[in-house]
Amino acid sequence: MMSEELSTTCFEIITYVGTARSCFINAIQCAKQNDFTQAESLIKQGDEAFVQGHNAHADLLTKEANGELGSIGLLMLHAEDQLMSAESFRIIAEEFIDLYKKLS
């Protein structure tokens, strides 16, 4: 894979999981306002964006395993960091939503 293609895929991952993380954070804010329907909707939207980022990442891992990638640079590390961050925010969002439901 050419480095331009790798960069493009990394930016796709960052974009998708950034969208997912924003949805998860907004879901917490909705739950805080007792708008659980919107919170659940945002979790679902975040999950859809996250899956796209995760799939792009999985494709890169497959290409790396097949020896199709050159060196993995800082941009790829950043994309993976953002992926893990979004996954963590999803877990936290679910916990907050459950907590706010119990409090309301």
Side-chain angles (χ1 to χ4, degrees), residues 17-89:
V17 300
T19 297
R21 188 176 53 230
S22 293
C23 288
F24 300 148
I25 292 168
N26 289 334
I28 294 170
Q29 295 304 312
C30 287
K32 187 176 182 179
Q33 301 300 319
N34 294 325
D35 188 353
F36 300 112
T37 302
Q38 182 63 16
E40 304 274 331
S41 176
L42 285 164
I43 292 291
K44 183 181 275 189
Q45 289 173 38
D47 285 346
E48 290 169 3
F50 184 83
V51 165
Q52 290 179 302
H54 184 269
N55 289 343
H57 182 253
D59 288 344
L60 286 182
L61 292 177
T62 299
K63 289 178 180 175
E64 181 183 33
N66 292 332
E68 298 174 35
L69 294 181
S71 65
I72 301 296
L74 188 57
L75 184 59
M76 180 59 181
L77 294 176
H78 177 63
E80 289 179 331
D81 180 53
Q82 295 301 302
L83 184 76
M84 295 305 298
S85 172
E87 186 173 33
S88 297
F89 269 102

Side-chain angles (χ1 to χ4, degrees), residues 1-22:
M1 176 180 265
M2 297 171 14
S3 66
E4 185 175 326
E5 290 177 277
L6 176 59
S7 295
T8 299
T9 303
C10 288
F11 282 120
E12 286 175 10
I13 294 168
I14 292 165
T15 300
Y16 288 132
V17 300
T19 297
R21 188 176 53 230
S22 293

Side-chain angles (χ1 to χ4, degrees), residues 27 29 31 47 96 100 103:
Q29 295 304 312
D47 285 346
F96 270 104
Y100 285 125
L103 294 175

